[in-house]
Amino acid sequence: QVQLVESGGGSVQAGGSLRLSCVGSQYTFCMAWFRQSPGKEREGVAQIGGGGSFTYYADSVKGRFTISRNNANNTVYLQMNSLKPEDTAMYYCAARDFCSVDWDSDRFTDWGQGTQVTVSS
């Protein structure tokens, strides 16, 4: 089982930026970010494959968020720009052995504890 630890969350005003990080205890091919707000289902945000050439984004964050990774230290990043109040959520890092254009959380085998992002208007 891969241990995942997120960091970088915080409070920011609308229009601002934050960069989330997730450090894994070992390399995993596919890394992703999900988020969940109170009373809402967990939703996929971004995925990235092992070499970084495959990326996949939710429509709600395209053009504002960028996922990247550094395999030398088993870290995946989520750069979030032009943040909106509706981006407020707990953000989770997740991992699985393959990437695909789906957001089925049951297909991700490892999860972090989450980091809170709050965007005020």
Side-chain angles (χ1 to χ4, degrees), residues 30-112:
C30 188
M31 302 293 294
W33 289 95
F34 284 74
R35 66 186 182 186
Q36 188 167 21
S37 304
K40 294 187 178 180
E41 292 187 356
R42 188 172 294 187
E43 63 172 342
V45 175
Q47 286 185 58
I48 187 166
S53 59
F54 173 87
T55 57
Y56 183 55
Y57 295 93
D59 288 343
S60 58
V61 306
K62 280 181 183 176
R64 299 188 299 123
F65 291 10
T66 302
I67 190 170
S68 61
R69 65 188 297 165
N70 183 339
N71 292 332
N73 56 19
N74 298 327
T75 302
V76 63
Y77 305 97
L78 186 68
Q79 178 66 44
M80 305 185 295
N81 298 330
S82 301
L83 282 162
K84 305 175 181 180
E86 51 263 44
D87 294 317
T88 295
M90 183 72 77
Y91 283 71
Y92 298 91
C93 181
R96 63 181 178 184
D97 292 335
F98 64 94
C99 280
S100 67
V101 291
D102 75 88
W103 296 114
D104 186 348
S105 59
D106 289 339
R107 301 178 76 186
F108 285 83
T109 54
D110 303 287
W111 292 85

